[in-house]
């Protein structure tokens, strides 16, 4: 896929789209006002993408004998682990040059998402299942969250990695 600007997957709520479980968003001003002109934006909300809709029951990450699972906060019978994992693999296009993901989300978080035990006690931090699947499918993909974008040094390193991947993919495509 030839693109003049690097294609970057972005958590849709960071763009101001009202896709959060409660119908809200988490618009990030620098991303929307400064970065968007430099990238080809690929907006994704994994929870909407797997059909949960807006509004929807909130989910959380629960440690179980079969690994970390994404389950309903109020209804543990709601389990979207497999669909979120599959959606992450489905969205892992090899032409992507980077990803900007929402922190602390059970779908999008990059090592910042609270993990819970079966009794609801917080046990640590992990990655959202969509983010983990995306990274597993595209191991070299430069990923950052909105907290990273707020750090000028971190976002400049990320941007340079995105540009380098864009050059590399362009070279491969020639
Ligand atoms: S964090 Fe991810 S799953 Fe949650 S609303 Fe934003 S894009 Fe959707």
């Amino acid at each position: 896929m030839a693109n003049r600007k690097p294609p970057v997957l972005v958590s849709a709520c960071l763009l101001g789209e009202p896709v959060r479980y409660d119908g809200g968003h988490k618009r990030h001003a620098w991303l929307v006002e400064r970065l968007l002109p430099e990238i080809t934006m690929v907006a994704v909300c994994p929870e909407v993408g797997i059909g949960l809709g807006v509004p929807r029951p909130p989910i959380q990450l629960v440690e179980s004998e079969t690994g970390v699972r994404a389950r309903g906060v109020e209804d543990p019978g709601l389990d979207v682990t497999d669909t979120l994992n599959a959606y992450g693999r489905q969205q892992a296009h090899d032409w992507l040059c980077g990803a900007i993901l929402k922190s602390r989300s059970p779908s999008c978080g990059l090592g910042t998402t609270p993990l819970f035990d079966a009794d609801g006690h917080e046990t640590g931090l992990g990655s959202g299942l969509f983010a983990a699947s995306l990274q597993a499918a595209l191991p070299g993909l430069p990923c950052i969250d909105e907290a990273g974008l707020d750090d000028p040094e971190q976002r400049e390193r990320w941007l340079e990695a995105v540009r380098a991947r864009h050059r590399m993919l362009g070279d491969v495509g020639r």
Side-chain angles (χ1 to χ4, degrees):
M1 179 172 178
N3 257 313
R4 198 167 51 81
K5 300 178 191 173
V8 173
L9 185 150
V10 185
S11 291
C13 58
L14 292 174
L15 298 164
E17 295 186 18
V19 290
R20 279 169 58 84
Y21 73 95
D22 59 0
H25 63 78
K26 287 286 179 181
R27 182 181 186 276
H28 190 276
W30 187 87
L31 162 60
V32 173
E33 291 161 18
R34 302 287 299 278
L35 186 63
L36 278 192
E38 295 189 37
I39 64 174
T40 299
M41 185 260 295
V42 182
V44 174
C45 174
E47 292 177 22
V48 170
I50 64 170
L52 289 180
V54 182
R56 56 184 172 271
I59 58 174
Q60 64 184 4
L61 296 185
V62 180
E63 292 185 295
S64 76
E65 286 178 2
T66 56
V68 174
R69 305 201 67 84
R71 290 183 175 149
V73 175
E74 284 137 28
D75 174 14
L78 172 67
D79 188 321
V80 292
T81 307
D82 296 340
T83 44
L84 269 179
N85 284 336
Y87 194 69
R89 291 191 293 274
Q90 185 189 325
Q91 296 299 314
H93 307 291
D94 56 9
W95 42 259
L96 283 172
C97 293
I100 302 171
L101 295 163
K102 174 73 186 70
S103 66
R104 297 184 61 80
S105 154
S107 300
C108 295
L110 290 168
T112 57
T113 305
L115 301 173
F116 296 91
D117 64 19
D119 297 322
H121 299 122
E122 196 171 327
T123 56
L125 297 174
S127 284
L129 298 191
F130 172 81
S133 290
L134 183 73
Q135 289 187 303
L138 295 174
L141 188 71
C143 295
I144 195 168
D145 62 20
E146 77 280 16
L149 289 183
D150 289 335
D151 176 341
E153 284 184 19
Q154 200 176 327
R155 79 183 178 214
E156 195 48 46
R157 279 199 302 276
W158 173 81
L159 257 175
E160 193 41 55
V162 168
R163 291 180 187 125
R165 186 175 173 90
H166 192 220
R167 286 193 297 272
M168 182 189 77
L169 292 178
D171 288 345
V172 167
R174 270 200 278 271

